[in-house]
Amino acid sequence: LLFLWSITVSIFGIGGLLGSSGSRYLTVKYGKKKCLLCNNLLMIVAASITGCSKIAQSFEMILIGRFMCGISAGLCVPLHHQYVGEISPRKLRGFANSTSSFFWSLGKAIGQISGQRELLGSQSLWPMLMASCGLPALVQLVTLPFFPESPPYLLIHKGDQEGCKKAIRQLWGEGHHQAEIDDIMKEKATMKNIKILSVLELMKDPAFRWQLYMIVILSATVQLCGINAV
């Protein structure tokens, strides 16, 4: 039992690793909005599988659901930050990105509070708790079609200047947005001269050595600080 529950807990992280590894390829090929919509469907399916595990009397369904939730979360973290940053006007971009981190923390806190035995952590209600991750995904699935695709994606990867202008007007209202379009064009010109590094090349590059050390140390100390035990 200990071994099975250890796998159930850790398989979320394995799914997250796979999801985050494939996020760049998917965003370049299909766009951030489409990827987020498909990701919401994946999370809803995962929530349904875990929510029905008790009725089906199958712990394997919890394993599969947790793995799919991990893939969805791994895709969502880079996708959501990029999309929110790119659709925000320049003066609100930092604020918009910081709200993402705030709501990540708020979601974790709500999940831990809801998991108390007095609320949804009881013997009869825990499947509902497991399936609750599908609710925010459903809200985003319903509302996201009303938002346009990311303007930088339309201009840089699709070369659709008219679509980019239309998306900017829809997001930021009518007005003179040529400065923002010029910024995107400069970014597009810069990207032509930049080689995208693989993970192995990144680890070998001396210029990023200290940044990697800092990330590894921070990630390790978070795991060792006792937050998981709490």
Side-chain angles (χ1 to χ4, degrees):
L1 284 175
L2 181 62
F3 176 71
L4 285 173
W5 284 116
S6 298
I7 293 174
T8 304
V9 172
S10 60
I11 204 166
F12 180 88
I14 297 168
L17 179 64
L18 292 174
S20 59
S21 300
S23 62
R24 181 183 171 274
Y25 169 78
L26 293 172
T27 52
V28 171
K29 188 170 179 63
Y30 300 108
K32 295 172 180 67
K33 181 183 172 182
K34 286 181 182 177
C35 286
L36 281 170
L37 286 170
C38 294
N39 193 47
N40 291 327
L41 287 171
L42 179 63
M43 181 61 85
I44 291 168
V45 172
S48 302
I49 290 171
T50 52
C52 295
S53 59
K54 186 179 180 182
I55 297 172
Q57 296 183 350
S58 170
F59 72 88
E60 293 90 349
M61 290 176 69
I62 300 177
L63 277 168
I64 294 167
R66 286 274 298 173
F67 181 65
M68 292 173 66
C69 278
I71 294 174
S72 179
L75 282 167
C76 182
V77 172
L79 273 174
H80 183 79
H81 280 279
Q82 289 172 31
Y83 184 71
V84 169
E86 289 176 4
I87 66 172
S88 304
R90 192 192 307 173
K91 61 182 179 181
L92 296 176
R93 199 160 292 161
F95 171 75
N97 277 324
S98 65
T99 58
S100 300
S101 301
F102 169 77
F103 282 109
W104 273 106
S105 302
L106 181 63
K108 289 180 181 180
I110 291 172
Q112 289 180 344
I113 293 166
S114 302
Q116 299 300 309
R117 286 191 177 89
E118 294 79 9
L119 298 174
L120 296 178
S122 63
Q123 192 171 352
S124 57
L125 295 178
W126 68 262
M128 193 181 296
L129 176 67
M130 296 286 284
S132 62
C133 58
L135 184 60
L138 181 62
V139 171
Q140 192 177 74
L141 184 66
V142 173
T143 56
L144 193 60
F146 296 99
F147 287 77
E149 182 54 88
S150 158
Y153 172 79
L154 290 171
L155 189 56
I156 294 172
H157 296 289
K158 292 294 182 182
D160 186 0
Q161 191 162 350
E162 286 304 313
C164 175
K165 290 178 180 178
K166 184 180 177 182
I168 287 174
R169 285 195 297 268
Q170 186 179 343
L171 288 164
W172 306 338
E174 297 294 335
H176 187 68
H177 302 297
Q178 190 58 42
E180 285 81 1
I181 295 172
D182 290 341
D183 284 345
I184 298 171
M185 291 297 292
K186 287 177 185 175
E187 184 183 345
K188 182 178 181 179
T190 305
M191 285 180 67
K192 289 181 180 178
N193 303 319
I194 294 176
K195 180 179 181 292
I196 303 298
L197 299 177
S198 67
V199 176
L200 189 60
E201 289 172 332
L202 182 68
M203 293 175 71
K204 288 180 177 179
D205 194 331
F208 300 106
R209 193 68 49 78
W210 282 105
Q211 292 92 321
L212 283 171
Y213 288 158
M214 289 172 67
I215 290 169
V216 170
I217 291 168
L218 283 170
S219 300
T221 49
V222 165
Q223 297 302 316
L224 296 171
C225 72
I227 189 168
N228 291 334
V230 171

